[in-house]
Amino acid sequence: MRPADELRDAVPRPVWWDGVQTGPRSEPLTGRQRADLVIVGGGYTGLWSAIEALTEHPDRRVVLLEQDWIGAGASGRNGGFVSESLTHGIAHGEAMWPDELDELQRLGRQNVEQIAELLQRHDVDADLRRCGKTTLARTAHDADALRAAVATYTRRGEDVRFLDRDEVRADLHSPAFVGGLRISGGGLVDPMALTHGLRSIAEKLGAAVFERSAATGIERSGAGLTVHGTHGRVDTAQVVLASNAYPPLLRRLRAWVLPVYDYVLATAPLTADQLESIGWAQNQGLTDAGNQFHYFRRTRDDRIVWGGYDAIYHFGNAVHSKLEQRDASHRVLAQHFRQTFPQLGSLPFTHRWGGVIDTTSRFTPIFGTAYDGRLAYAVGFTGLGVASTRFGAQVALDLLAGRLTERTRLKAVTGTAVPFPPEPLRWTAVQLTRAALAREDETGTRGVLLRILDRFGVGFNS
């Protein structure tokens, strides 16, 4: 069957939405209201901000504004990989913040541990599995790089093991891989179940959630701020801006955050024979080692979610629901899946979707304040926000409170990203960088452009 034909019957929505309530569950904001804290954006960052703020001060009035519905964006459609890293991986942390990396690693591990404890305490079944992941090498040069990385991981307190060709194929029955790095930290979660669980906790603590309530502007109002919406407004003392990939209400963020679309397929549930044919007994998350990497994992009902590879930027920072389906990217994913698991040639794809990722040039979020410290932002999680958004929310609340904490002392927090150039240079720079990354995947050699970008701590990634 040709790729175009085999995707014909795949429904255009995330597999995570099957069997759960989708769409708005609250009324939109109308009239004029008052709050102590307004949170703009109802994804993971916004939900964690509400939970953390109300845990600290239960008597606060916290209003959360979501332009669509809770779970419609990246938080309800991502791959569900739970990473302990706050630095987009050990190697990037070594390059950017070597003196702080041990502290960042400790905070990242602590963050995931506390998330697990909170979900258990509130009886949230988000299918959180602390199963780690394996990074897989498709080429000899990627295998060499993974082998060389073991010393760095171990020095930074990570429990890892290099798998040679025979070991990785004994674990995952695929002819595509020649090596791997088994990492014990982190795991997997059902992203939509996590979103619903966090919303439930936030509302139980007292957060007022308004869906279909896009914030259209912020202005000073006496000693506070007023957040304007289409049909209402909220007077508030403070604001957390958690808009991530969506058009920001602060002009400066447009220069720092690049919206990049990522595409995903999901298969039908595997039979017992199909599961036996692929191995994968530890059921861990899997990713490729290259720049253009796939990520894949199994769901509760033993489907395979298969995404990544393409990272598509649309001219002018375009973000729109019509960009969530891209035939070319879905066809490439289908082809790569068949090459990776030839024994599953008859397994149909049942779902196809896409979503937008908030990328920064340094691969990690940026933090800051505006309006004389009354507004704080945490944006740019670059595809690793499932867990680190909680850390980001805590940083934003620390900044609003003017607290000097172990988080706000970090250079990874106080520093900022190199801004992306304006259009049309932005689109051109992204395309040139994508081509250079693809060449490195093929050759194993980092070209001149990438080496120049490395010197300035700049890159492009999803």
Side-chain angles (χ1 to χ4, degrees):
M1 184 181 293
R2 292 177 301 174
D5 295 332
E6 67 176 345
L7 296 175
R8 182 180 53 213
D9 296 327
V11 295
R13 70 169 183 269
V15 70
W16 314 114
W17 296 6
D18 284 2
V20 300
Q21 182 176 352
T22 58
R25 292 158 44 190
S26 63
E27 294 299 314
L29 175 71
T30 57
R32 187 166 190 171
Q33 302 209 17
R34 302 192 69 84
D36 299 300
L37 174 67
V38 170
I39 300 165
V40 178
Y44 291 146
T45 310
L47 292 169
W48 279 121
S49 296
I51 291 167
E52 294 293 320
L54 287 164
T55 298
E56 183 180 8
H57 295 294
D59 56 341
R60 270 182 180 172
R61 174 160 168 77
V62 174
V63 168
L64 188 152
L65 303 178
E66 165 56 39
Q67 66 176 351
D68 200 337
W69 50 272
I70 305 295
S75 297
R77 60 178 66 228
N78 65 83
F81 281 67
V82 178
S83 174
E84 294 178 343
S85 179
L86 301 175
T87 62
H88 210 82
I90 294 282
H92 190 61
E94 283 269 351
M96 296 289 289
W97 304 286
D99 296 338
E100 291 183 346
L101 188 53
D102 287 337
E103 179 73 357
L104 286 160
Q105 288 290 104
R106 180 187 68 80
L107 290 171
R109 286 190 286 264
Q110 174 184 288
N111 180 52
V112 171
E113 188 65 42
Q114 291 173 348
I115 289 172
E117 291 172 357
L118 181 137
L119 295 180
Q120 184 175 26
R121 186 166 68 250
H122 289 273
D123 197 26
V124 171
D125 178 11
D127 194 31
L128 176 62
R129 288 180 275 129
R130 308 281 289 279
C131 54
K133 76 169 187 175
T134 302
T135 301
L136 298 161
R138 291 178 179 266
T139 65
H141 56 257
D142 280 341
D144 290 343
L146 292 179
R147 191 191 301 271
V150 170
T152 301
Y153 274 80
T154 302
R155 187 172 68 252
R156 296 299 184 175
E158 293 295 303
D159 180 12
V160 300
R161 184 167 72 91
F162 178 76
L163 307 176
D164 63 22
R165 175 180 174 142
D166 291 340
E167 290 172 315
V168 78
R169 292 187 180 183
D171 181 30
L172 185 69
H173 303 165
S174 168
F177 304 111
V178 298
L181 188 66
R182 186 70 172 94
I183 303 167
S184 65
L188 298 168
V189 74
D190 179 325
M192 193 64 181
L194 177 60
T195 302
H196 279 176
L198 295 182
R199 176 183 183 155
S200 175
I201 297 169
E203 290 183 325
K204 189 189 308 180
L205 292 172
V209 175
F210 295 94
E211 295 164 295
R212 296 168 293 170
S213 301
T216 58
I218 300 173
E219 66 176 0
R220 299 176 189 272
S221 178
L225 301 171
T226 296
V227 181
H228 292 272
T230 306
H231 301 292
R233 58 181 176 172
V234 189
D235 298 319
T236 183
Q238 296 177 322
V239 173
V240 168
L241 192 56
S243 52
N244 287 299
Y246 294 91
L249 296 177
L250 278 182
R251 185 184 300 272
R252 73 184 73 162
L253 297 183
R254 189 175 176 86
W256 288 331
V257 177
L258 194 79
V260 176
Y261 276 83
D262 173 66
Y263 296 93
V264 196
L265 297 173
T267 71
L270 276 67
T271 66
D273 287 344
Q274 288 170 329
L275 286 171
E276 185 177 358
S277 77
I278 63 172
W280 203 352
Q282 296 182 59
N283 203 5
Q284 76 273 31
L286 301 171
T287 65
D288 294 343
N291 295 309
Q292 292 180 293
F293 65 93
H294 307 87
Y295 56 86
F296 44 119
R297 46 81 54 92
R298 282 162 43 199
T299 63
R300 296 187 204 225
D301 59 350
D302 285 321
R303 300 172 187 268
I304 296 177
V305 170
W306 174 267
Y309 192 76
D310 269 352
I312 304 299
Y313 171 71
H314 297 276
F315 188 89
N317 275 24
V319 175
H320 197 279
S321 58
K322 67 183 180 182
L323 301 175
E324 292 166 6
Q325 295 292 322
R326 188 171 188 266
D327 288 347
S329 292
H330 285 131
R331 286 196 297 268
V332 166
L333 283 172
Q335 179 184 7
H336 291 175
F337 180 88
R338 300 303 184 200
Q339 293 167 349
T340 302
F341 294 112
Q343 65 270 51
L344 300 179
S346 62
L347 182 67
F349 297 108
T350 59
H351 299 71
R352 53 181 288 183
W353 72 96
V356 63
I357 295 169
D358 52 326
T359 300
T360 70
S361 64
R362 70 176 194 174
F363 304 159
T364 58
I366 54 172
F367 309 95
T369 62
Y371 293 100
D372 301 320
R374 296 183 181 92
L375 178 148
Y377 52 84
V379 295
F381 292 88
T382 316
L384 289 183
V386 173
S388 64
T389 44
R390 177 177 180 266
F391 175 85
Q394 291 173 324
V395 169
L397 294 171
D398 284 345
L399 294 175
L400 286 179
R403 291 189 290 251
L404 187 62
T405 67
E406 60 182 357
R407 293 180 289 264
T408 59
R409 290 187 182 94
L410 294 166
K411 294 175 185 176
V413 169
T414 59
T416 192
V418 173
F420 292 104
E423 298 289 16
L425 293 177
R426 177 173 299 200
W427 188 89
T428 302
V430 168
Q431 304 316 311
L432 290 173
T433 305
R434 285 189 70 212
L437 292 168
R439 284 194 297 273
E440 184 187 19
D441 284 342
E442 292 178 6
T443 65
T445 301
R446 203 150 177 87
V448 175
L449 174 60
L450 296 181
R451 293 199 301 272
I452 291 172
L453 294 178
D454 289 342
R455 289 186 61 191
F456 295 95
V458 176
F460 170 73
N461 203 315
S462 63

